[in-house]
Amino acid sequence: MGIDEPAIDPDAFLEAVEMRVGEITAAEPFPEARKDLYKLTVDFGGQQLRSAAGLTENYAREELEGRQVLAVVNLGTVSIAGFESECLVTGVDDGDGNVVHLQPEKRVPNGRRVY
């Protein structure tokens, strides 16, 4: 393992990528998708965005609802099997090919920007 990508300007990254903390308010099955995904609704402090997320192996739907996550909110909308995914919930591979979502270590107000 190593860091393979070239260095970028930190100011350009912070200007271009907007990441915020949100709370999952709904997690629904997504049988239409080719991969095993959930349809998530995420509250960013007054603004609700939807996301298609591959968290199904590590999390039951009920376990996700009420959890805070870190998400990229300015990537635009991507249509996945007719579902409009409006944000990217971040995660990391657990080494077994499953996704573990990233979240703040303690509860913070929804909508806070990640720096």
Side-chain angles (χ1 to χ4, degrees), residues 13-33:
F13 174 81
L14 291 174
E15 288 174 15
V17 177
E18 184 175 350
M19 294 180 68
R20 296 205 177 255
V21 174
E23 180 179 340
I24 298 172
T25 58
E28 302 171 21
F30 194 179
E32 304 86 4

mmCIF file with all atom_site columns, all heavy atoms in Angstrom, residues 13-33:
data_model
loop_
_atom_site.group_PDB
_atom_site.id
_atom_site.type_symbol
_atom_site.label_atom_id
_atom_site.label_alt_id
_atom_site.label_comp_id
_atom_site.label_asym_id
_atom_site.label_entity_id
_atom_site.label_seq_id
_atom_site.pdbx_PDB_ins_code
_atom_site.Cartn_x
_atom_site.Cartn_y
_atom_site.Cartn_z
_atom_site.occupancy
_atom_site.B_iso_or_equiv
_atom_site.pdbx_formal_charge
_atom_site.auth_seq_id
_atom_site.auth_comp_id
_atom_site.auth_asym_id
_atom_site.auth_atom_id
_atom_site.pdbx_PDB_model_num
ATOM 1   N N   . PHE A 1 13 ? -8.616  22.083 -3.450  1.00 0.00 ? 13 PHE A N   1
ATOM 2   C CA  . PHE A 1 13 ? -9.456  20.988 -2.979  1.00 0.00 ? 13 PHE A CA  1
ATOM 3   C C   . PHE A 1 13 ? -10.604 21.519 -2.135  1.00 0.00 ? 13 PHE A C   1
ATOM 4   O O   . PHE A 1 13 ? -11.762 21.152 -2.341  1.00 0.00 ? 13 PHE A O   1
ATOM 5   C CB  . PHE A 1 13 ? -8.628  19.987 -2.167  1.00 0.00 ? 13 PHE A CB  1
ATOM 6   C CG  . PHE A 1 13 ? -9.467  18.914 -1.532  1.00 0.00 ? 13 PHE A CG  1
ATOM 7   C CD1 . PHE A 1 13 ? -9.883  17.817 -2.263  1.00 0.00 ? 13 PHE A CD1 1
ATOM 8   C CD2 . PHE A 1 13 ? -9.856  18.995 -0.206  1.00 0.00 ? 13 PHE A CD2 1
ATOM 9   C CE1 . PHE A 1 13 ? -10.666 16.825 -1.689  1.00 0.00 ? 13 PHE A CE1 1
ATOM 10  C CE2 . PHE A 1 13 ? -10.636 18.013 0.385   1.00 0.00 ? 13 PHE A CE2 1
ATOM 11  C CZ  . PHE A 1 13 ? -11.045 16.926 -0.365  1.00 0.00 ? 13 PHE A CZ  1
ATOM 12  N N   . LEU A 1 14 ? -10.291 22.386 -1.163  1.00 0.00 ? 14 LEU A N   1
ATOM 13  C CA  . LEU A 1 14 ? -11.330 22.909 -0.269  1.00 0.00 ? 14 LEU A CA  1
ATOM 14  C C   . LEU A 1 14 ? -12.336 23.783 -1.000  1.00 0.00 ? 14 LEU A C   1
ATOM 15  O O   . LEU A 1 14 ? -13.496 23.856 -0.610  1.00 0.00 ? 14 LEU A O   1
ATOM 16  C CB  . LEU A 1 14 ? -10.696 23.675 0.891   1.00 0.00 ? 14 LEU A CB  1
ATOM 17  C CG  . LEU A 1 14 ? -9.934  22.802 1.891   1.00 0.00 ? 14 LEU A CG  1
ATOM 18  C CD1 . LEU A 1 14 ? -9.210  23.667 2.910   1.00 0.00 ? 14 LEU A CD1 1
ATOM 19  C CD2 . LEU A 1 14 ? -10.854 21.825 2.581   1.00 0.00 ? 14 LEU A CD2 1
ATOM 20  N N   . GLU A 1 15 ? -11.908 24.443 -2.077  1.00 0.00 ? 15 GLU A N   1
ATOM 21  C CA  . GLU A 1 15 ? -12.831 25.246 -2.873  1.00 0.00 ? 15 GLU A CA  1
ATOM 22  C C   . GLU A 1 15 ? -13.718 24.370 -3.751  1.00 0.00 ? 15 GLU A C   1
ATOM 23  O O   . GLU A 1 15 ? -14.876 24.677 -3.970  1.00 0.00 ? 15 GLU A O   1
ATOM 24  C CB  . GLU A 1 15 ? -12.048 26.222 -3.758  1.00 0.00 ? 15 GLU A CB  1
ATOM 25  C CG  . GLU A 1 15 ? -11.406 27.358 -2.986  1.00 0.00 ? 15 GLU A CG  1
ATOM 26  C CD  . GLU A 1 15 ? -10.522 28.229 -3.864  1.00 0.00 ? 15 GLU A CD  1
ATOM 27  O OE1 . GLU A 1 15 ? -10.627 28.140 -5.108  1.00 0.00 ? 15 GLU A OE1 1
ATOM 28  O OE2 . GLU A 1 15 ? -9.727  28.988 -3.306  1.00 0.00 ? 15 GLU A OE2 1
ATOM 29  N N   . ALA A 1 16 ? -13.170 23.263 -4.245  1.00 0.00 ? 16 ALA A N   1
ATOM 30  C CA  . ALA A 1 16 ? -13.893 22.440 -5.218  1.00 0.00 ? 16 ALA A CA  1
ATOM 31  C C   . ALA A 1 16 ? -14.809 21.402 -4.576  1.00 0.00 ? 16 ALA A C   1
ATOM 32  O O   . ALA A 1 16 ? -15.890 21.123 -5.081  1.00 0.00 ? 16 ALA A O   1
ATOM 33  C CB  . ALA A 1 16 ? -12.896 21.737 -6.138  1.00 0.00 ? 16 ALA A CB  1
ATOM 34  N N   . VAL A 1 17 ? -14.372 20.801 -3.472  1.00 0.00 ? 17 VAL A N   1
ATOM 35  C CA  . VAL A 1 17 ? -15.111 19.692 -2.868  1.00 0.00 ? 17 VAL A CA  1
ATOM 36  C C   . VAL A 1 17 ? -15.809 20.173 -1.598  1.00 0.00 ? 17 VAL A C   1
ATOM 37  O O   . VAL A 1 17 ? -15.172 20.651 -0.672  1.00 0.00 ? 17 VAL A O   1
ATOM 38  C CB  . VAL A 1 17 ? -14.169 18.511 -2.544  1.00 0.00 ? 17 VAL A CB  1
ATOM 39  C CG1 . VAL A 1 17 ? -14.942 17.396 -1.859  1.00 0.00 ? 17 VAL A CG1 1
ATOM 40  C CG2 . VAL A 1 17 ? -13.498 18.009 -3.809  1.00 0.00 ? 17 VAL A CG2 1
ATOM 41  N N   . GLU A 1 18 ? -17.128 20.035 -1.576  1.00 0.00 ? 18 GLU A N   1
ATOM 42  C CA  . GLU A 1 18 ? -17.896 20.416 -0.393  1.00 0.00 ? 18 GLU A CA  1
ATOM 43  C C   . GLU A 1 18 ? -18.403 19.147 0.290   1.00 0.00 ? 18 GLU A C   1
ATOM 44  O O   . GLU A 1 18 ? -19.235 18.421 -0.255  1.00 0.00 ? 18 GLU A O   1
ATOM 45  C CB  . GLU A 1 18 ? -19.078 21.307 -0.761  1.00 0.00 ? 18 GLU A CB  1
ATOM 46  C CG  . GLU A 1 18 ? -19.828 21.797 0.451   1.00 0.00 ? 18 GLU A CG  1
ATOM 47  C CD  . GLU A 1 18 ? -20.942 22.783 0.120   1.00 0.00 ? 18 GLU A CD  1
ATOM 48  O OE1 . GLU A 1 18 ? -21.029 23.235 -1.035  1.00 0.00 ? 18 GLU A OE1 1
ATOM 49  O OE2 . GLU A 1 18 ? -21.714 23.102 1.031   1.00 0.00 ? 18 GLU A OE2 1
ATOM 50  N N   . MET A 1 19 ? -17.856 18.898 1.483   1.00 0.00 ? 19 MET A N   1
ATOM 51  C CA  . MET A 1 19 ? -18.271 17.743 2.272   1.00 0.00 ? 19 MET A CA  1
ATOM 52  C C   . MET A 1 19 ? -18.988 18.258 3.507   1.00 0.00 ? 19 MET A C   1
ATOM 53  O O   . MET A 1 19 ? -18.555 19.238 4.128   1.00 0.00 ? 19 MET A O   1
ATOM 54  C CB  . MET A 1 19 ? -17.065 16.898 2.678   1.00 0.00 ? 19 MET A CB  1
ATOM 55  C CG  . MET A 1 19 ? -16.383 16.249 1.499   1.00 0.00 ? 19 MET A CG  1
ATOM 56  S SD  . MET A 1 19 ? -14.955 15.257 1.981   1.00 0.00 ? 19 MET A SD  1
ATOM 57  C CE  . MET A 1 19 ? -15.768 13.945 2.867   1.00 0.00 ? 19 MET A CE  1
ATOM 58  N N   . ARG A 1 20 ? -20.079 17.588 3.849   1.00 0.00 ? 20 ARG A N   1
ATOM 59  C CA  . ARG A 1 20 ? -20.869 17.992 5.008   1.00 0.00 ? 20 ARG A CA  1
ATOM 60  C C   . ARG A 1 20 ? -21.283 16.766 5.816   1.00 0.00 ? 20 ARG A C   1
ATOM 61  O O   . ARG A 1 20 ? -21.337 15.651 5.304   1.00 0.00 ? 20 ARG A O   1
ATOM 62  C CB  . ARG A 1 20 ? -22.094 18.770 4.582   1.00 0.00 ? 20 ARG A CB  1
ATOM 63  C CG  . ARG A 1 20 ? -21.707 20.084 3.896   1.00 0.00 ? 20 ARG A CG  1
ATOM 64  C CD  . ARG A 1 20 ? -22.779 21.118 3.984   1.00 0.00 ? 20 ARG A CD  1
ATOM 65  N NE  . ARG A 1 20 ? -22.326 22.353 3.386   1.00 0.00 ? 20 ARG A NE  1
ATOM 66  C CZ  . ARG A 1 20 ? -21.954 23.421 4.077   1.00 0.00 ? 20 ARG A CZ  1
ATOM 67  N NH1 . ARG A 1 20 ? -21.987 23.409 5.387   1.00 0.00 ? 20 ARG A NH1 1
ATOM 68  N NH2 . ARG A 1 20 ? -21.560 24.515 3.468   1.00 0.00 ? 20 ARG A NH2 1
ATOM 69  N N   . VAL A 1 21 ? -21.610 17.007 7.080   1.00 0.00 ? 21 VAL A N   1
ATOM 70  C CA  . VAL A 1 21 ? -22.137 15.968 7.966   1.00 0.00 ? 21 VAL A CA  1
ATOM 71  C C   . VAL A 1 21 ? -23.646 15.948 7.807   1.00 0.00 ? 21 VAL A C   1
ATOM 72  O O   . VAL A 1 21 ? -24.304 16.994 7.832   1.00 0.00 ? 21 VAL A O   1
ATOM 73  C CB  . VAL A 1 21 ? -21.761 16.261 9.438   1.00 0.00 ? 21 VAL A CB  1
ATOM 74  C CG1 . VAL A 1 21 ? -22.442 15.264 10.373  1.00 0.00 ? 21 VAL A CG1 1
ATOM 75  C CG2 . VAL A 1 21 ? -20.258 16.238 9.609   1.00 0.00 ? 21 VAL A CG2 1
ATOM 76  N N   . GLY A 1 22 ? -24.194 14.765 7.622   1.00 0.00 ? 22 GLY A N   1
ATOM 77  C CA  . GLY A 1 22 ? -25.637 14.612 7.528   1.00 0.00 ? 22 GLY A CA  1
ATOM 78  C C   . GLY A 1 22 ? -26.089 13.399 8.315   1.00 0.00 ? 22 GLY A C   1
ATOM 79  O O   . GLY A 1 22 ? -25.284 12.533 8.674   1.00 0.00 ? 22 GLY A O   1
ATOM 80  N N   . GLU A 1 23 ? -27.378 13.354 8.583   1.00 0.00 ? 23 GLU A N   1
ATOM 81  C CA  . GLU A 1 23 ? -27.966 12.233 9.324   1.00 0.00 ? 23 GLU A CA  1
ATOM 82  C C   . GLU A 1 23 ? -28.872 11.435 8.399   1.00 0.00 ? 23 GLU A C   1
ATOM 83  O O   . GLU A 1 23 ? -29.745 11.996 7.727   1.00 0.00 ? 23 GLU A O   1
ATOM 84  C CB  . GLU A 1 23 ? -28.776 12.749 10.500  1.00 0.00 ? 23 GLU A CB  1
ATOM 85  C CG  . GLU A 1 23 ? -29.411 11.660 11.319  1.00 0.00 ? 23 GLU A CG  1
ATOM 86  C CD  . GLU A 1 23 ? -30.192 12.212 12.505  1.00 0.00 ? 23 GLU A CD  1
ATOM 87  O OE1 . GLU A 1 23 ? -29.949 13.358 12.910  1.00 0.00 ? 23 GLU A OE1 1
ATOM 88  O OE2 . GLU A 1 23 ? -31.063 11.477 13.008  1.00 0.00 ? 23 GLU A OE2 1
ATOM 89  N N   . ILE A 1 24 ? -28.672 10.129 8.367   1.00 0.00 ? 24 ILE A N   1
ATOM 90  C CA  . ILE A 1 24 ? -29.521 9.259  7.555   1.00 0.00 ? 24 ILE A CA  1
ATOM 91  C C   . ILE A 1 24 ? -30.900 9.191  8.217   1.00 0.00 ? 24 ILE A C   1
ATOM 92  O O   . ILE A 1 24 ? -31.025 8.767  9.359   1.00 0.00 ? 24 ILE A O   1
ATOM 93  C CB  . ILE A 1 24 ? -28.919 7.856  7.419   1.00 0.00 ? 24 ILE A CB  1
ATOM 94  C CG1 . ILE A 1 24 ? -27.564 7.930  6.713   1.00 0.00 ? 24 ILE A CG1 1
ATOM 95  C CG2 . ILE A 1 24 ? -29.877 6.927  6.672   1.00 0.00 ? 24 ILE A CG2 1
ATOM 96  C CD1 . ILE A 1 24 ? -26.800 6.628  6.685   1.00 0.00 ? 24 ILE A CD1 1
ATOM 97  N N   . THR A 1 25 ? -31.911 9.649  7.489   1.00 0.00 ? 25 THR A N   1
ATOM 98  C CA  . THR A 1 25 ? -33.274 9.636  8.023   1.00 0.00 ? 25 THR A CA  1
ATOM 99  C C   . THR A 1 25 ? -34.097 8.487  7.468   1.00 0.00 ? 25 THR A C   1
ATOM 100 O O   . THR A 1 25 ? -35.133 8.143  8.030   1.00 0.00 ? 25 THR A O   1
ATOM 101 C CB  . THR A 1 25 ? -33.992 10.968 7.745   1.00 0.00 ? 25 THR A CB  1
ATOM 102 O OG1 . THR A 1 25 ? -34.016 11.203 6.340   1.00 0.00 ? 25 THR A OG1 1
ATOM 103 C CG2 . THR A 1 25 ? -33.297 12.122 8.460   1.00 0.00 ? 25 THR A CG2 1
ATOM 104 N N   . ALA A 1 26 ? -33.648 7.911  6.350   1.00 0.00 ? 26 ALA A N   1
ATOM 105 C CA  . ALA A 1 26 ? -34.342 6.758  5.773   1.00 0.00 ? 26 ALA A CA  1
ATOM 106 C C   . ALA A 1 26 ? -33.344 5.923  4.983   1.00 0.00 ? 26 ALA A C   1
ATOM 107 O O   . ALA A 1 26 ? -32.468 6.471  4.314   1.00 0.00 ? 26 ALA A O   1
ATOM 108 C CB  . ALA A 1 26 ? -35.484 7.205  4.868   1.00 0.00 ? 26 ALA A CB  1
ATOM 109 N N   . ALA A 1 27 ? -33.480 4.609  5.085   1.00 0.00 ? 27 ALA A N   1
ATOM 110 C CA  . ALA A 1 27 ? -32.688 3.656  4.306   1.00 0.00 ? 27 ALA A CA  1
ATOM 111 C C   . ALA A 1 27 ? -33.661 2.629  3.745   1.00 0.00 ? 27 ALA A C   1
ATOM 112 O O   . ALA A 1 27 ? -34.316 1.925  4.499   1.00 0.00 ? 27 ALA A O   1
ATOM 113 C CB  . ALA A 1 27 ? -31.630 2.997  5.178   1.00 0.00 ? 27 ALA A CB  1
ATOM 114 N N   . GLU A 1 28 ? -33.769 2.600  2.427   1.00 0.00 ? 28 GLU A N   1
ATOM 115 C CA  . GLU A 1 28 ? -34.737 1.719  1.775   1.00 0.00 ? 28 GLU A CA  1
ATOM 116 C C   . GLU A 1 28 ? -34.030 0.721  0.869   1.00 0.00 ? 28 GLU A C   1
ATOM 117 O O   . GLU A 1 28 ? -32.962 1.025  0.326   1.00 0.00 ? 28 GLU A O   1
ATOM 118 C CB  . GLU A 1 28 ? -35.700 2.559  0.922   1.00 0.00 ? 28 GLU A CB  1
ATOM 119 C CG  . GLU A 1 28 ? -36.453 3.608  1.709   1.00 0.00 ? 28 GLU A CG  1
ATOM 120 C CD  . GLU A 1 28 ? -37.220 4.564  0.797   1.00 0.00 ? 28 GLU A CD  1
ATOM 121 O OE1 . GLU A 1 28 ? -37.490 4.199  -0.365  1.00 0.00 ? 28 GLU A OE1 1
ATOM 122 O OE2 . GLU A 1 28 ? -37.517 5.668  1.252   1.00 0.00 ? 28 GLU A OE2 1
ATOM 123 N N   . PRO A 1 29 ? -34.620 -0.449 0.670   1.00 0.00 ? 29 PRO A N   1
ATOM 124 C CA  . PRO A 1 29 ? -34.050 -1.407 -0.270  1.00 0.00 ? 29 PRO A CA  1
ATOM 125 C C   . PRO A 1 29 ? -34.001 -0.807 -1.680  1.00 0.00 ? 29 PRO A C   1
ATOM 126 O O   . PRO A 1 29 ? -34.804 0.068  -2.012  1.00 0.00 ? 29 PRO A O   1
ATOM 127 C CB  . PRO A 1 29 ? -35.013 -2.589 -0.239  1.00 0.00 ? 29 PRO A CB  1
ATOM 128 C CG  . PRO A 1 29 ? -35.904 -2.379 0.929   1.00 0.00 ? 29 PRO A CG  1
ATOM 129 C CD  . PRO A 1 29 ? -35.867 -0.929 1.267   1.00 0.00 ? 29 PRO A CD  1
ATOM 130 N N   . PHE A 1 30 ? -33.086 -1.303 -2.498  1.00 0.00 ? 30 PHE A N   1
ATOM 131 C CA  . PHE A 1 30 ? -32.930 -0.817 -3.866  1.00 0.00 ? 30 PHE A CA  1
ATOM 132 C C   . PHE A 1 30 ? -32.778 -2.015 -4.805  1.00 0.00 ? 30 PHE A C   1
ATOM 133 O O   . PHE A 1 30 ? -31.721 -2.252 -5.374  1.00 0.00 ? 30 PHE A O   1
ATOM 134 C CB  . PHE A 1 30 ? -31.709 0.096  -3.936  1.00 0.00 ? 30 PHE A CB  1
ATOM 135 C CG  . PHE A 1 30 ? -31.590 0.930  -5.182  1.00 0.00 ? 30 PHE A CG  1
ATOM 136 C CD1 . PHE A 1 30 ? -30.522 1.791  -5.318  1.00 0.00 ? 30 PHE A CD1 1
ATOM 137 C CD2 . PHE A 1 30 ? -32.509 0.862  -6.220  1.00 0.00 ? 30 PHE A CD2 1
ATOM 138 C CE1 . PHE A 1 30 ? -30.371 2.572  -6.452  1.00 0.00 ? 30 PHE A CE1 1
ATOM 139 C CE2 . PHE A 1 30 ? -32.375 1.644  -7.351  1.00 0.00 ? 30 PHE A CE2 1
ATOM 140 C CZ  . PHE A 1 30 ? -31.296 2.494  -7.474  1.00 0.00 ? 30 PHE A CZ  1
ATOM 141 N N   . PRO A 1 31 ? -33.850 -2.800 -4.961  1.00 0.00 ? 31 PRO A N   1
ATOM 142 C CA  . PRO A 1 31 ? -33.761 -4.025 -5.766  1.00 0.00 ? 31 PRO A CA  1
ATOM 143 C C   . PRO A 1 31 ? -33.501 -3.773 -7.253  1.00 0.00 ? 31 PRO A C   1
ATOM 144 O O   . PRO A 1 31 ? -33.037 -4.672 -7.951  1.00 0.00 ? 31 PRO A O   1
ATOM 145 C CB  . PRO A 1 31 ? -35.121 -4.694 -5.539  1.00 0.00 ? 31 PRO A CB  1
ATOM 146 C CG  . PRO A 1 31 ? -36.031 -3.597 -5.142  1.00 0.00 ? 31 PRO A CG  1
ATOM 147 C CD  . PRO A 1 31 ? -35.181 -2.592 -4.401  1.00 0.00 ? 31 PRO A CD  1
ATOM 148 N N   . GLU A 1 32 ? -33.776 -2.579 -7.750  1.00 0.00 ? 32 GLU A N   1
ATOM 149 C CA  . GLU A 1 32 ? -33.581 -2.274 -9.170  1.00 0.00 ? 32 GLU A CA  1
ATOM 150 C C   . GLU A 1 32 ? -32.106 -2.116 -9.539  1.00 0.00 ? 32 GLU A C   1
ATOM 151 O O   . GLU A 1 32 ? -31.734 -2.216 -10.704 1.00 0.00 ? 32 GLU A O   1
ATOM 152 C CB  . GLU A 1 32 ? -34.314 -0.976 -9.563  1.00 0.00 ? 32 GLU A CB  1
ATOM 153 C CG  . GLU A 1 32 ? -35.796 -0.966 -9.260  1.00 0.00 ? 32 GLU A CG  1
ATOM 154 C CD  . GLU A 1 32 ? -36.114 -0.509 -7.830  1.00 0.00 ? 32 GLU A CD  1
ATOM 155 O OE1 . GLU A 1 32 ? -35.196 -0.129 -7.086  1.00 0.00 ? 32 GLU A OE1 1
ATOM 156 O OE2 . GLU A 1 32 ? -37.299 -0.552 -7.469  1.00 0.00 ? 32 GLU A OE2 1
ATOM 157 N N   . ALA A 1 33 ? -31.256 -1.838 -8.560  1.00 0.00 ? 33 ALA A N   1
ATOM 158 C CA  . ALA A 1 33 ? -29.839 -1.612 -8.817  1.00 0.00 ? 33 ALA A CA  1
ATOM 159 C C   . ALA A 1 33 ? -29.131 -2.927 -9.138  1.00 0.00 ? 33 ALA A C   1
ATOM 160 O O   . ALA A 1 33 ? -29.503 -3.981 -8.638  1.00 0.00 ? 33 ALA A O   1
ATOM 161 C CB  . ALA A 1 33 ? -29.187 -0.949 -7.605  1.00 0.00 ? 33 ALA A CB  1
#
